[in-house]
Amino acid sequence: MQKLKITHPDSANRIEKGIVLGWAVLVVIVILVAAALARFIVGGISAQEFASPEFMNGAANNKINADQFTFSDPWVRATPPGTMTAAAYLSIGNTGEEDRLLYARSDGARRVEIHTSSEQDGMMRMSRLDTLPVPADGVVQLTSGGHHLMFIDIPATFVPGESVIVTLVFESAGARDVLFTVRDVR
Amino acid sequence: MSTVSKFLFVIVFLVVGSVGAMTARQVFVVDESTDIPVPEINGFVLQQPRVLPEFALLDGQARAFARSDFESAWSLLYFGFTYCPDICPTAMVEMAKLKDLLAASRPDVAAEYYLVSVDPQRDTPERIQEYVTFFDDSFKGLTGDLLEIGKLAQTASVIHVIEPSADGASYEVGHSSTLTLVDPQGNIRAIFKEPLRASALANDIDRVLTYVKRVSNEV
Ligand SMILES: [Cu+2]
């Protein structure tokens, strides 16, 4: 009886390759099954879904840009030397529920009040508002001749180009820091 | 209550009532002595010039300033106060633009620009001087005794009031926001109303000056 001998070196090589290939296929299958299982367990976020714009926006909205408010063009009127007061303006856009601005504070003044200018009995009067309503899905504008934030007892004059942080405190939404730029409108 | 009582200010001025009515009559009565049409402006042209009373105020250098100091040039008067952060600076800015516009369109007309304080407790001569010159180097400030200020304001139909604020810790100032045109003889010729905008004011003043000249030539 003659023992079967594999004499052709090429054929031996081929069998080794086949075994390696077999293992590789098995590993790939295991990985795919594991991935499928993992996906099933985690609750179904595919790589495509993870990279989708909707998902990215959702993450952004929840973390960085969640604010219902937009603060446009915040500025403070540059003050003449020796002045004790200054007026600050901005517009507050609100995509959320109705809210109210309760008060404001800043290192730029001993006190910040919400004021409104109006004509009464032939006189221009400036009066303090207790709160400033911010309508739902609306905008409230603080502009010259209307509402303003009144800085009272400012330690230094406001020089154009400088900026000052004002904390606006809303009844429901809480506090927001807004950076106001000093502007010379002469 | 003791802190509240420290503040001596109560309402000081009320000029409305009869003066307002007189003003309205002077302004609206048609003067039949001349055929020259009265220009329509954003405010009032005084067909019978209103003579300023004698008064004693201080300028930005704390020098005495009297009625006669208005003579020699046309004057534009804004009544306000330096503690005011919104209305008054806006008016000052427009007044500075107006000065440039008039200097260009009426170089023949010499004019001075004044802020008259209605809050002399805060507005010392130094204070008002540094305030007005921030807007224009040539601007002048007037302040002084509130009663003296009142004489000038009353003739200009300017109402002003000082009242304790709601919390009693401070006071609030109210004032008419108008521009008063005084001729070089010390007579009020026109009063301009809000909105005080430089370009419209320059046009209106130009027409008032033309009107005044025609009227005075006819007399
Ligand atoms: Cu104010």
Side-chain angles (χ1 to χ4, degrees):
Chain A
M1 207 176 114
Q2 203 182 0
K3 204 176 169 191
L4 181 65
K5 260 181 116 184
I6 301 162
T7 50
H8 201 289
D10 205 43
S11 68
N13 204 356
R14 225 181 277 154
I15 288 164
E16 269 171 41
K17 271 189 180 165
I19 292 166
V20 169
L21 191 70
W23 275 108
V25 167
L26 192 66
V27 166
V28 168
I29 287 168
V30 167
I31 288 171
L32 285 176
V33 168
L37 264 172
R39 185 192 155 176
F40 180 74
I41 291 160
V42 167
I45 302 164
S46 72
Q48 273 158 320
E49 278 166 339
F50 189 78
S52 72
E54 289 77 14
F55 185 85
M56 303 283 260
N57 284 345
N61 281 343
N62 291 331
K63 299 265 163 57
I64 308 141
N65 228 352
D67 211 346
Q68 71 192 86
F69 298 122
T70 47
F71 303 105
S72 312
D73 195 23
W75 67 284
V76 187
R77 188 189 293 274
T79 51
T83 304
M84 300 298 292
T85 61
Y89 312 95
L90 83 165
S91 83
I92 304 172
N94 180 21
T95 56
E97 298 288 298
E98 185 182 353
D99 208 333
R100 288 194 300 171
L101 179 62
L102 295 182
Y103 53 89
R105 56 173 181 261
S106 172
D107 290 340
R110 192 171 63 79
R111 199 162 83 245
V112 182
E113 293 181 349
I114 309 162
H115 278 197
T116 190
S117 300
S118 58
E119 186 160 3
Q120 293 166 27
D121 310 321
M123 287 185 285
M124 292 308 292
R125 300 294 297 267
M126 183 173 71
S127 39
R128 200 175 79 83
L129 298 176
D130 288 331
T131 61
L132 180 66
V134 185
D137 292 313
V139 178
V140 59
Q141 291 192 327
L142 290 84
T143 54
S144 186
H147 305 314
H148 60 265
L149 296 175
M150 171 95 162
F151 288 45
I152 298 167
D153 286 357
I154 56 175
T157 55
F158 286 114
V159 177
E162 286 181 352
S163 50
V164 58
I165 297 169
V166 180
T167 304
L168 304 175
V169 181
F170 296 90
E171 187 173 45
S172 307
R176 298 288 188 282
D177 285 343
V178 181
L179 189 68
F180 284 70
T181 306
V182 180
R183 197 184 294 166
D184 191 347
V185 290
R186 279 179 297 175
Chain B
M1 244 0 237
S2 63
T3 41
V4 177
S5 59
K6 266 199 306 189
F7 294 94
L8 301 170
F9 30 75
V10 185
I11 305 160
V12 182
F13 273 98
L14 259 198
V15 185
V16 222
S18 58
V19 173
M22 281 164 57
T23 308
R25 195 141 35 100
Q26 282 195 3
V27 169
F28 292 115
V29 161
V30 177
D31 188 347
E32 292 172 348
S33 64
T34 172
D35 295 333
I36 297 165
V38 180
E40 275 190 33
I41 61 167
N42 180 34
F44 310 103
V45 177
L46 277 63
Q47 289 170 269
Q48 265 110 48
R50 204 180 296 165
V51 181
L52 287 180
E54 292 297 333
F55 60 84
L57 290 174
L58 296 173
D59 70 9
Q61 268 82 36
R63 291 176 306 215
F65 190 100
R67 182 186 183 280
S68 59
D69 291 304
F70 280 132
E71 293 169 7
S72 78
W74 286 86
S75 303
L76 282 149
L77 276 54
Y78 185 83
F79 293 79
F81 61 117
T82 71
Y83 197 80
C84 158
D86 183 42
I87 301 297
C88 303
T90 304
M92 289 291 109
V93 168
E94 293 301 319
M95 205 156 85
K97 290 180 188 162
L98 171 64
K99 183 200 154 193
D100 293 342
L101 289 173
L102 274 185
S105 67
R106 300 295 294 246
D108 52 313
V109 174
E112 298 282 359
Y113 298 78
Y114 296 88
L115 171 66
V116 184
S117 176
V118 293
D119 181 16
Q121 182 174 321
R122 290 184 186 122
D123 293 340
T124 61
E126 308 80 66
R127 180 75 271 277
I128 202 160
Q129 177 70 12
E130 64 183 353
Y131 185 84
V132 294
T133 53
F134 175 77
F135 297 97
D136 190 285
D137 285 342
S138 72
F139 281 6
K140 295 179 174 173
L142 297 179
T143 185
D145 192 288
L146 199 49
L147 287 167
E148 296 296 316
I149 293 166
K151 293 180 189 173
L152 196 52
Q154 177 170 346
T155 317
S157 301
V158 165
I159 324 161
H160 55 116
V161 62
I162 295 178
E163 310 181 313
S165 58
D167 59 7
S170 182
Y171 60 89
E172 289 172 4
V173 182
H175 59 91
S176 306
S177 187
T178 58
L179 204 59
T180 306
L181 179 68
V182 179
D183 70 20
Q185 289 72 47
N187 308 308
I188 298 177
R189 306 305 295 242
I191 297 167
F192 306 94
K193 301 187 300 180
E194 284 275 6
L196 301 173
R197 293 287 167 263
S199 53
L201 285 167
N203 268 326
D204 282 354
I205 290 169
D206 183 79
R207 290 155 67 215
V208 174
L209 292 173
T210 304
Y211 166 79
V212 167
K213 194 167 184 209
R214 289 184 66 187
V215 171
S216 56
N217 285 345
E218 193 145 298
V219 172

